Amino acid sequence: MLANIDLAYWLPVIFAGLMVVSMFAYVILDGYDLGVGILLELEKDTSEKDKMIASIGPFWDANETWLVLGVGLLLVAFPLAHGIILGELYLPVALMLLGLILRGVAFDFRVKAKAHHQAMWNTLFFVGSLLAAVSQGVMLGRYITGFAEGWGAWGFAMLVGLSLAAAYALLGAGWLMIKSTGSLQMRAVRWAQFSLGFAALATVLVSVATPWISPRVFALWFSVPNVFLLAPVPIFTAVLFAVIAYSLPRIAARQAQGNDRWCWLPFAATVGIVLLAFFGLVFSIFPHLVIDQLTIWQAASSTEALSIILAGAAIVLPTIFGYTIYSYRVFWGKAGELSYQ
Amino acid sequence: MSPDVASSLLDPIVLARIQFAANITFHILFPTISIAMGWILLFFKLRFNATGDQKWQEAYGFWVKIFALTFALGVVSGITMSFQFGTNWPGYMQTVGNIAGPLLAYEVLTAFFLEATFLGIMLFGQKKVSNRVHTFATLLVAGGTTLSAFWIIVLNSWMQTPTGFEMINGQAHVTSWLEVIFNPSMPYRLTHMLLASGLTAAFLVAGISAYRWFIGQRTNAVLAAMKTGVALAAILIPLQILVGDMHGLNTFKHQPAKIAAIEGIWETERGAPLLLFALPNAETRSNDFAIGIPKVTSLILTHELNGEIRGLNEFAEHPPVAKVFWSFRVMVGVGMLMLLTSWLAAWQLRRTNTLSPLVNKVLIGMTFSGWVATVAGWYVTEIGRQPWLVQGVLLTKDAASHVGSGMILSTLLMYLALYVFLLISYVSVVFYLAKKAGQPAGEH
């Protein structure tokens, strides 16, 4: 039975799948903590800022690891594509790394630095988060257009960059609604309303611009019967946006009475939107790694190397899921003051 | 600046190498501390569990903050590395990806997630989980960082002494994973690196504790940490000298050109002297102002007074001599200082349970001495492999990307500025934390 399976065909598919899963995990997980970083600038009260950071304290490090796994899989499973893609994305990658470094260290420095330096580290945390979010979006935008040159393509990439920052802010606000209480929770609802508009606008613009820029994607989505089969994707996305918009004022009203039910709904709905966006993206690109240039099979490592990695991944990935869930359970519930206790 | 130097500085390969060197130099500073610091924290924790003495809990509480800070810097600079393989050296993965890929994948899969996830519990979970789980989380973080070091050193050793593969159409394919992992230099390199980490962390702990002692924080917790650091350093340094010597013999066998550069030997000779000082001159292919002890290098490397050492002139390709020669001497010199300081401090602490003012100040001065020795040693290893990226398999210049110089130069300047800023911040925050630890809670 197993001997009949064409490993040279399936291993690259499996690794492409794992890569999508880890990128999705990254966008959701680091997305919310980058979002909290972006929202940090909107909060003026220092102790409220501390609470915001406390809500992501135990998690941000592990969250970022998904990026290392995603890029690592690209590196180890598709070395040819890794070189091409990261070579093309040299500048946004460098800026993203700058952002991630700044926020990563600011997170730690801000609680340890002298009081009069704290404001600087808070600002760097915000700047780093925003820079990382926007450059990731720019990378995505550059990638979607197949690294096309010219003002139009770069303008589009900037647009995607801002969209992603808005989506992260929405995730971050949703996260804070779950993890906080009182006035911070109320403010999180306001921030969600604010970023919701931006995220929705950005989603529409990106959805229109992508097929407009790539004829292949246009043909893929707007041919019969695909146009009908795929219709649920934009429809469900719109429904989820509507659910968030409808629920936010009601959650605010309920919270005012001390009722915390449904506080998780905006976050869950945002995860759904990101999931749909991922589906749309993967559907548009697969089986290419570099659009219209390089397929997953052309870029893959040798079957032997992939088998070795897969054997390890099959044991380790479930373990990672296990202890990630354990860690979230340990820190379940509202975030308190962050202390090394 | 002469036009020659200016044009070579704009050479994209030179720039890419400088950028990569800057990144690994910055990166290695932090794992070097955190690998061993994880175990030191576990030691504090276990001492507290066993004795119930509050001083161990206090020591844990103080050092876990420094650990967290160090870990954060290690993670973010490590992420930079994983991207730069692709941005700066695309030819690397294209040629040896079938070997480097699985090793890097195993590093991320087995170590990275483990330490990153349990770090959260270790740092912020003391009140949320039982003491036993918290101890276990500390153990997992320490084990994770060490496992991480294991995979990275395996890959680096393989790049130095590659075995267990065959080349097919310009790509390396594995013939034996056992030979890849247990390549000839791996055991020496791994032990040498782990001991280096132990020494770096030991001197950091001893140095910061000595600083706290110096400014008047004469508590049991500070003394306990200082004794731990000093004892660890005093035990590890002779081991390191022994392992370093064995590592040198291994290098002599597998990478003779690197040894010739380390020792500054141009012509093959018998009874080669140990050069204490020299200015290796690549133009005349000889040393200026050489001062040496006759026959000692031959004795160390061949265990015979008149043993033959092959000179650089025998190798068509050899590393840049002066950089390797001097990096090696900096490493050994700092090692000697470590030996003297740690033994003197250990002797004093044993006799009088305190330090003389002079030794106290020397310890403070040597707080980051481990960094100097580690970075110098790392340069010996990495520059000593040039012009190869993978010894005998892939030349560094063949792995470089075609990104323009302007782009590399501007990002290089950005990274350099960032690293200087972060390094200053790191060192000053570590000392600030030490100073703040003495104030009663609530005042800061």
Side-chain angles (χ1 to χ4, degrees):
Chain A
M1 222 5 218
L2 276 171
N4 292 331
I5 293 175
D6 183 3
L7 287 178
Y9 176 84
W10 281 107
L11 279 173
V13 175
I14 292 170
F15 274 93
L18 286 176
M19 220 164 69
V20 171
V21 170
S22 57
M23 285 299 184
F24 177 70
Y26 174 75
V27 167
I28 296 296
L29 295 174
D30 212 29
Y32 78 71
D33 70 53
L34 284 166
V36 170
I38 294 169
L39 296 173
L40 194 68
E41 188 65 10
L42 298 177
E43 177 61 64
K44 297 299 166 212
D45 184 275
T46 316
S47 73
E48 299 282 295
K49 276 182 200 268
D50 289 348
K51 282 186 205 157
M52 290 171 73
I53 301 233
S55 79
I56 57 174
F59 308 111
W60 75 270
D61 194 357
N63 292 346
E64 221 156 76
T65 307
W66 291 99
L67 176 68
V68 180
L69 184 65
V71 175
L73 285 173
L74 181 65
L75 176 74
V76 302
F78 307 105
L80 211 58
H82 182 262
I84 296 173
I85 293 172
L86 293 192
E88 291 283 354
L89 297 178
Y90 200 87
L91 196 61
V93 164
L95 291 174
M96 174 192 75
L97 293 173
L98 177 70
L100 288 179
I101 291 175
L102 280 179
R103 71 186 290 276
V105 298
F107 173 80
D108 238 282
F109 277 128
R110 64 180 290 285
V111 281
K112 299 183 172 105
K114 292 182 184 134
H116 66 270
H117 282 158
Q118 247 182 31
M120 174 190 83
W121 290 114
N122 279 338
T123 307
L124 283 179
F125 192 83
F126 158 73
V127 170
S129 303
L130 186 64
L131 186 61
V134 172
S135 5
Q136 282 170 9
V138 169
M139 285 156 67
L140 177 63
R142 300 287 301 135
Y143 179 72
I144 291 174
T145 61
F147 314 113
E149 288 305 327
W151 288 107
W154 276 100
F156 172 71
M158 280 307 296
L159 179 67
V160 181
L162 296 174
S163 318
L164 196 65
Y168 283 175
L170 186 58
L171 272 171
W175 172 258
L176 286 174
M177 264 178 250
I178 300 174
K179 296 299 272 188
S180 65
T181 52
S183 61
L184 181 59
Q185 202 180 26
M186 297 298 272
R187 291 182 64 91
V189 175
R190 289 245 312 277
W191 293 331
Q193 279 170 320
F194 185 65
S195 42
L196 181 68
F198 276 99
L201 178 69
T203 310
V204 171
L205 287 174
V206 170
S207 307
V208 173
T210 310
W212 191 48
I213 280 176
S214 166
R216 197 181 63 86
V217 173
F218 184 89
L220 201 61
W221 283 78
F222 295 98
S223 63
V224 180
N226 282 5
V227 69
F228 298 111
L229 293 173
L230 293 169
V233 176
I235 291 173
F236 275 126
T237 307
V239 167
L240 287 171
F241 269 117
V243 165
I244 303 175
Y246 178 82
S247 68
L248 285 174
R250 274 149 197 84
I251 287 174
R254 239 182 256 123
Q255 276 165 5
Q257 297 156 5
N259 180 347
D260 207 28
R261 272 174 64 196
W262 302 104
C263 68
W264 50 269
L265 186 66
F267 186 77
T270 315
V271 171
I273 293 171
V274 177
L275 189 63
L276 289 167
F278 252 76
F279 171 79
L281 193 62
V282 172
F283 178 79
S284 304
I285 292 165
F286 188 83
H288 290 268
L289 272 171
V290 182
I291 292 177
D292 299 337
Q293 285 182 44
L294 192 70
T295 67
I296 56 172
W297 299 286
Q298 290 165 334
S301 288
S302 74
T303 307
E304 298 78 41
L306 291 180
S307 312
I308 288 281
I309 304 173
L310 189 63
I315 299 167
V316 175
L317 282 177
T319 319
I320 294 176
F321 276 116
Y323 61 66
T324 305
I325 291 169
Y326 173 75
S327 162
Y328 273 82
R329 281 191 46 183
V330 166
F331 296 100
W332 198 251
K334 303 292 176 185
E337 193 189 339
L338 197 62
S339 76
Y340 291 107
Q341 292 293 317
Chain B
M1 199 187 294
S2 75
D4 235 28
V5 175
S7 71
S8 83
L9 265 183
L10 288 175
D11 178 352
I13 294 174
V14 174
L15 285 173
R17 284 191 57 190
I18 295 175
Q19 192 186 85
F20 201 70
N23 286 323
I24 61 170
T25 304
F26 182 71
H27 174 66
I28 201 176
L29 301 176
F30 305 103
T32 304
I33 292 175
S34 51
I35 293 165
M37 185 77 82
W39 296 105
I40 294 176
L41 284 170
L42 183 66
F43 172 76
F44 289 159
K45 182 87 198 171
L46 291 174
R47 290 305 298 153
F48 174 69
N49 290 351
T51 63
D53 191 335
Q54 205 57 37
K55 71 180 181 188
W56 296 112
Q57 178 69 29
E58 256 177 67
Y60 186 94
F62 174 76
W63 283 100
V64 82
K65 287 182 201 156
I66 302 211
F67 181 80
L69 190 65
T70 314
F71 200 93
L73 278 152
V75 169
V76 293
S77 58
I79 292 174
T80 317
M81 309 263 65
S82 71
F83 278 90
Q84 280 189 332
F85 279 120
T87 51
N88 289 27
W89 311 107
Y92 177 71
M93 289 305 284
Q94 282 158 24
T95 312
V96 300
N98 289 329
I99 289 164
L103 295 179
L104 288 169
Y106 270 73
E107 197 257 338
V108 174
L109 283 172
T110 60
F112 221 88
F113 273 97
L114 192 70
E115 54 199 39
T117 308
F118 283 95
L119 184 73
I121 294 173
M122 177 180 167
L123 295 181
F124 309 116
Q126 210 154 352
K127 279 188 183 152
K128 305 216 175 217
V129 295
S130 68
N131 187 45
R132 190 186 282 186
V133 171
H134 187 254
T135 308
F136 189 59
T138 309
L139 170 70
L140 286 177
V141 170
T145 48
T146 310
L147 201 56
S148 186
F150 170 78
W151 290 114
I152 294 300
I153 296 289
V154 163
L155 176 55
N156 185 265
S157 295
W158 183 83
M159 289 160 68
Q160 307 271 350
T161 53
T163 46
F165 70 105
E166 58 183 350
M167 297 300 288
I168 303 171
N169 298 329
Q171 277 193 323
H173 287 259
V174 176
T175 54
S176 158
W177 275 108
L178 273 182
E179 278 184 47
V180 167
I181 294 175
F182 297 95
N183 62 77
S185 65
M186 190 279 276
Y188 303 95
R189 214 177 290 281
L190 180 65
T191 320
H192 200 46
M193 183 66 222
L194 291 181
L195 287 171
S197 169
L199 283 165
T200 307
F203 270 92
L204 179 68
V205 171
I208 292 294
S209 303
Y211 172 73
R212 294 180 63 184
W213 192 257
F214 185 74
I215 59 174
Q217 299 175 22
R218 309 205 163 180
T219 65
N220 283 337
V222 172
L223 188 65
M226 178 153 63
K227 281 183 177 172
T228 307
V230 167
L232 190 62
I235 294 167
L236 291 185
I237 186 72
L239 284 176
Q240 179 69 307
I241 292 170
L242 189 73
V243 170
D245 178 55
M246 288 159 69
H247 184 29
L249 294 179
N250 180 269
T251 308
F252 180 57
K253 192 168 157 195
H254 296 282
Q255 296 177 291
K258 187 191 279 186
I259 287 291
I262 286 173
E263 302 296 349
I265 296 170
W266 294 93
E267 292 293 335
T268 298
E269 59 182 313
R270 291 182 167 279
L274 178 69
L275 296 179
L276 298 176
F277 184 91
L279 296 178
N281 187 329
E283 274 171 33
T284 61
R285 303 193 68 77
S286 63
N287 298 322
D288 302 334
F289 311 108
I291 305 168
I293 312 171
K295 298 189 191 288
V296 172
T297 287
S298 278
L299 182 68
I300 292 173
L301 289 169
T302 66
H303 294 178
E304 276 174 47
L305 282 175
N306 283 316
E308 184 183 275
I309 313 284
R310 288 163 74 195
L312 290 157
N313 290 339
E314 278 198 35
F315 304 97
E317 311 268 16
H318 65 72
V321 184
K323 290 189 188 90
V324 178
F325 182 89
W326 276 108
S327 299
F328 183 77
R329 271 145 194 78
V330 168
M331 176 185 77
V332 172
V334 174
M336 290 301 145
L337 267 178
M338 285 178 160
L339 181 72
L340 276 176
T341 314
S342 62
W343 282 19
L344 196 58
W347 181 65
Q348 284 188 354
L349 280 173
R350 218 181 147 72
R351 256 185 74 232
T352 62
N353 214 22
T354 184
L355 291 173
S356 71
L358 177 70
V359 174
N360 195 329
K361 278 181 202 153
V362 173
L363 267 186
I364 298 171
M366 288 187 64
T367 301
F368 291 101
S369 57
W371 276 2
V372 180
T374 305
V375 168
W378 200 240
Y379 286 169
V380 174
T381 282
E382 297 299 290
I383 300 173
R385 191 188 50 219
Q386 301 303 325
W388 299 101
L389 190 57
V390 180
Q391 183 87 35
V393 175
L394 177 66
L395 285 166
T396 306
K397 67 177 164 63
D398 293 337
S401 75
H402 301 290
V403 176
S405 320
M407 189 83 91
I408 307 179
L409 186 63
S410 48
T411 49
L412 169 64
L413 294 175
M414 177 191 92
Y415 285 125
L416 283 179
L418 179 67
Y419 291 161
V420 170
F421 168 68
L422 290 179
L423 210 53
I424 294 171
S425 303
Y426 177 82
V427 172
S428 45
V429 167
V430 166
F431 277 97
Y432 173 72
L433 280 176
K435 205 183 281 176
K436 200 173 75 168
Q439 298 164 5
E443 274 187 27
H444 42 80

